[in-house]
Amino acid sequence: MGNITQTIRKIVNMINNEAENGGLWLPNIQRYFVWSEDQIEKLFDSIMRKYPISTLLIWRTDNEIKTRKFIDNYHDKINLKDFYNPPNKKKKMLVLDGQQRLQSFYIALKGSYNGNELYFNVMSDENTQDEIKYKFKFLSSEAADINKGWIKLKDVVYSGADYYDIAERIISEMDNVENPSLIRQNIGRLQKVFTGDEIIIYQELDSIDNPSLYTLNDIVEVFIRANSGGTPLSRSDLMFSLLTVSWDEIEEELLDFRDLLNRLGYNFTRDFILKTSLILIDAGAKYDVQKFRKKENIKNLKDNWEKIKKAISDIRDFIQNQTFIKGDKALPSYNALIPLIYFKYNFPDVWRAKNKEKLGFWLTRVLLTGAFSGSSDTLLDAIIKDIKEKNDFNINSINTIIVNRGRRVHLSPEMVLESSYGQRKTYLIFYMLYKANMPTFNPANVENLPSLDHIFPQSLLKSIKVKNPKTNRMVMRYSKWERDQIANLMVLSIDENCEQKRNTPPDEWFANKDDNYLKLHMIPSKNLLEKDKFNEFIK
């Protein structure tokens, strides 16, 4: 295993390019690309300042494993399935460590980020006191004004012309140039850094010339250890590193299943699906990477995958159709669903005969009280054990388990009144209240969910000042919690304009509303809607 050096331009030309020694690709065990525009821009500033960017780790192999291409034109809704390569026995180089950096180079020099390309400001001054000395920015062609110094980076890196000629062309295209020598200096440095200096260093694990030296299991271990620094791998990333060794199709399966679950407005995650799957095969609630080193767990997951998906989907349908939990905004804890999923998975006949209204009420109660908030693994294990022992979902027994662990199942007025703007349980409370006041109210519109808004707008309450007796300074009369408390909130339906309502004083917003509208939004009296009556209104 030796060190190999390359220029940035050369390493980028190797990406997705079979003609370059098999090309650079990503193994299926790699996580998603997670860097922001700002992180990429800072990386390029570091490159220009000749900061070290760490050694890459590459596996040279001809193993028939699933790989994917690097992304050229990145956007927020990108689907990795579009970048999969079919397994093949061709020689290739797979990036084990350094994906984020190489992907950033590829986007910047071969593609775009949300439709914008990377530009460099030729008037950047390394002597500035600013944190960023060499300015890079993702811009549209319309926003990239050459008279302000912005030039497209890839046009310089792939020009092939002498740096001096490039600089002179840029100078000739600008209206006024105060410091042409600075432009020449920056173009010279940029060309040298990206096309001349071999600043990319990578270590190569060779399984072609030495096929017995690194097995696939060895590579997974190397990948996990190599990625323990930098941007940390999530637990699901580590799970995949082990899981995909023996179950090649699982990533695509999970992505498809997650998307299917979320079509009704929820936000089920890959982590939730994996954690729940482990619980369903009785591997316990602790989300431990070691569980995916056990062959029997992998076999159980593969053998029962369709049954697992059905149980999770059925509970998603249950909360959608038979509770007030109509979407992600009204679901404070996804972990609270796991006992119901386990019950449905293991005892489908008992589930069918169960009173669904009581199960829905139990779920709503524990979501409002926060019984499953924070760390809940031991609680889940205890509830799962109780369900197995009783072959049933005994609500009284389960509530006793929750209370014995210092958590609450009892609802109180204070618990409701302590709710505030931004909390999921607040959405759940309002969906229940509005449904009671207006049976036709429907919060479950996936395309445009109703939103919570302030009755007395934030801007209005922030404008009310009082003098602080200790400092004699004018300060806001109402704290953030007072402004955001549940009594100052209402639901705006999908037909109402959130932007229009946002800063409208309540005496104006409700002036022409009829009694039914006032009743729906629980407005006690129009006489209490002036800003100096806020405290009375809240009371």
Side-chain angles (χ1 to χ4, degrees):
M1 182 173 68
N3 286 347
I4 302 172
T5 60
Q6 294 286 7
T7 66
I8 292 176
R9 184 171 67 180
K10 176 65 174 177
I11 202 81
V12 169
N13 284 340
M14 294 165 65
I15 292 175
N16 296 354
N17 185 359
E18 289 185 4
E20 290 286 348
N21 198 25
L24 281 170
W25 313 88
L26 293 167
N28 200 36
I29 58 176
Q30 272 285 11
R31 57 185 149 165
Y32 303 142
F33 177 64
V34 296
W35 276 21
S36 64
E37 292 182 33
D38 182 61
Q39 284 175 291
I40 299 175
E41 292 159 4
K42 286 181 178 178
L43 171 66
F44 277 78
D45 173 60
S46 297
I47 294 292
M48 285 289 282
R49 293 161 78 168
K50 299 188 177 180
Y51 288 175
I53 58 168
S54 300
T55 303
L56 309 177
L57 186 61
I58 290 172
W59 179 33
R60 185 167 174 261
T61 182
D62 57 5
N63 275 22
E64 190 175 1
I65 60 174
K66 184 183 287 186
T67 63
R68 68 175 189 263
K69 302 172 187 175
F70 281 79
I71 301 165
D72 47 8
N73 297 305
Y74 177 85
H75 55 85
D76 291 336
K77 294 184 178 179
I78 205 152
N79 190 336
L80 288 187
K81 291 187 293 184
D82 297 335
F83 294 85
Y84 287 151
N85 295 314
N88 63 73
K89 293 185 177 181
K90 297 177 182 178
K91 70 176 182 178
K92 47 195 165 283
M93 295 183 288
L94 304 182
V95 178
L96 301 180
D97 187 29
Q99 180 209 170
Q100 305 298 323
R101 284 162 282 163
L102 286 180
Q103 182 64 85
S104 296
F105 289 143
Y106 196 60
I107 288 170
L109 296 175
K110 292 288 190 178
S112 60
Y113 199 113
N114 283 331
N116 296 327
E117 295 179 276
L118 191 64
Y119 284 76
F120 171 60
N121 195 300
V122 293
M123 302 306 297
S124 299
D125 189 349
E126 65 176 337
N127 296 314
T128 180
Q129 298 300 310
D130 296 340
E131 177 191 357
I132 302 297
K133 296 186 183 296
Y134 293 95
K135 297 178 182 177
F136 291 86
K137 194 74 178 172
F138 281 99
L139 298 169
S140 65
S141 56
E142 295 78 15
D145 188 349
I146 194 170
N147 287 309
K148 293 182 180 179
W150 294 108
I151 62 163
K152 193 182 296 183
L153 176 63
K154 63 184 70 168
D155 288 349
V156 176
V157 174
Y158 292 100
S159 167
D162 180 83
Y163 87 90
Y164 189 86
D165 293 335
I166 298 172
E168 291 307 305
R169 177 183 57 78
I170 293 169
I171 292 169
S172 69
E173 293 177 3
M174 299 175 71
D175 293 338
N176 295 297
V177 180
E178 296 181 3
N179 193 347
S181 63
L182 179 61
I183 295 177
R184 297 185 190 104
Q185 178 181 313
N186 279 333
I187 294 299
R189 187 184 187 95
L190 188 149
Q191 197 175 65
K192 184 174 186 295
V193 165
F194 285 90
T195 69
D197 295 342
E198 294 187 341
I199 63 175
I200 301 296
I201 304 172
Y202 66 89
Q203 291 181 314
E204 188 178 85
L205 308 179
D206 191 348
S207 289
I208 294 180
D209 294 337
N210 301 286
S212 62
L213 190 58
Y214 299 105
T215 67
L216 185 54
N217 281 313
D218 293 328
I219 292 301
V220 168
E221 292 296 333
V222 169
F223 171 74
I224 291 173
R225 296 184 188 191
N227 285 274
S228 60
T231 304
L233 287 168
S234 71
R235 286 181 179 178
S236 62
D237 289 323
L238 294 176
M239 299 290 192
F240 273 127
S241 304
L242 299 168
L243 192 54
T244 54
V245 171
S246 52
W247 193 359
D248 190 52
E249 302 84 8
I250 184 58
E251 182 171 14
E252 192 167 353
E253 282 278 344
L254 267 171
L255 286 173
D256 288 342
F257 182 47
R258 184 197 64 188
D259 292 345
L260 180 66
L261 288 174
N262 291 335
R263 285 179 186 172
L264 297 179
Y266 298 100
N267 188 27
F268 288 91
T269 65
R270 192 174 68 172
D271 281 320
F272 174 83
I273 297 170
L274 282 176
K275 181 185 182 74
T276 303
S277 299
L278 286 170
I279 292 173
L280 295 186
I281 64 168
D282 290 322
K286 185 179 179 182
Y287 201 35
D288 188 352
V289 175
Q290 301 303 321
K291 292 178 181 179
F292 282 84
R293 298 183 190 273
K294 297 180 179 180
K295 291 182 179 179
E296 61 268 29
N297 285 345
I298 304 296
K299 185 178 186 306
N300 279 339
L301 287 174
K302 292 176 72 173
D303 290 348
N304 294 286
W305 178 237
E306 293 303 319
K307 184 181 175 184
I308 289 170
K309 288 196 297 182
K310 186 176 188 316
I312 298 174
S313 296
D314 286 349
I315 297 304
R316 189 280 313 268
D317 293 343
F318 164 70
I319 64 173
Q320 171 68 209
N321 298 324
Q322 300 190 49
T323 77
F324 294 98
I325 308 159
K326 301 299 185 182
D328 178 64
K329 287 183 177 180
L331 184 49
S333 172
Y334 283 77
N335 280 346
L337 304 179
I338 293 177
L340 292 171
I341 296 171
Y342 186 88
F343 177 48
K344 172 68 174 62
Y345 177 85
N346 283 285
F347 307 103
D349 293 336
V350 186
W351 162 268
R352 278 191 288 272
K354 204 74 175 173
N355 185 318
K356 303 301 190 298
E357 186 176 355
K358 287 185 177 180
L359 291 178
F361 181 74
W362 173 85
L363 179 60
T364 302
R365 177 189 292 272
V366 296
L367 288 174
L368 291 176
T369 60
F372 286 84
S373 61
S375 177
S376 57
D377 286 352
T378 57
L379 175 61
L380 284 169
D381 281 336
I383 293 175
I384 296 305
K385 181 181 178 183
D386 188 78
I387 293 171
K388 286 174 66 177
E389 289 176 349
K390 293 182 172 58
N391 293 343
D392 195 5
F393 196 97
N394 188 304
I395 290 176
N396 290 333
S397 177
I398 290 171
N399 284 346
T400 300
I401 291 171
I402 294 172
V403 172
N404 287 344
R405 278 160 177 75
R407 298 172 185 246
R408 298 183 296 184
V409 293
H410 176 67
L411 285 168
S412 66
E414 291 75 24
M415 195 174 294
V416 174
L417 296 176
E418 289 170 359
S419 304
S420 62
Y421 184 74
Q423 294 180 325
R424 282 182 167 86
K425 73 170 183 176
T426 307
Y427 271 91
L428 181 52
I429 291 168
F430 269 104
Y431 287 173
M432 295 168 68
L433 288 170
Y434 274 65
K435 193 69 175 177
N437 281 349
M438 187 175 72
T440 58
F441 173 73
N442 177 25
N445 184 307
V446 176
E447 297 300 322
N448 188 7
L449 286 169
S451 59
L452 287 187
D453 206 351
H454 297 79
I455 296 172
F456 282 72
Q458 289 262 39
S459 58
L460 178 67
L461 295 177
K462 286 180 179 179
S463 70
I464 303 174
K465 305 289 182 68
V466 293
K467 183 178 286 187
N468 185 318
K470 294 182 179 179
T471 64
N472 287 326
R473 295 175 60 185
M474 298 301 290
V475 296
M476 283 188 288
R477 179 176 179 180
Y478 299 109
S479 67
K480 185 178 188 310
W481 186 89
E482 290 175 301
R483 301 192 304 268
D484 286 348
Q485 62 184 300
I486 193 170
N488 188 36
L489 302 178
M490 63 183 288
V491 168
L492 287 182
S493 72
I494 59 176
D495 299 319
E496 293 177 302
N497 189 323
C498 295
E499 292 299 323
Q500 180 183 343
K501 165 66 186 74
R502 183 160 291 147
N503 294 313
T504 305
D507 52 350
E508 293 181 22
W509 179 261
F510 292 98
N512 299 317
K513 309 298 186 191
D514 60 25
D515 289 342
N516 288 331
Y517 190 85
L518 295 176
K519 180 182 178 183
L520 172 63
H521 295 291
M522 292 157 278
I523 304 301
S525 169
K526 286 187 178 182
N527 296 328
L528 298 178
L529 295 174
E530 297 173 6
K531 73 174 184 178
D532 59 351
K533 295 182 179 178
F534 177 70
N535 285 335
E536 286 183 76
F537 175 84
I538 292 297
K539 204 170 187 177

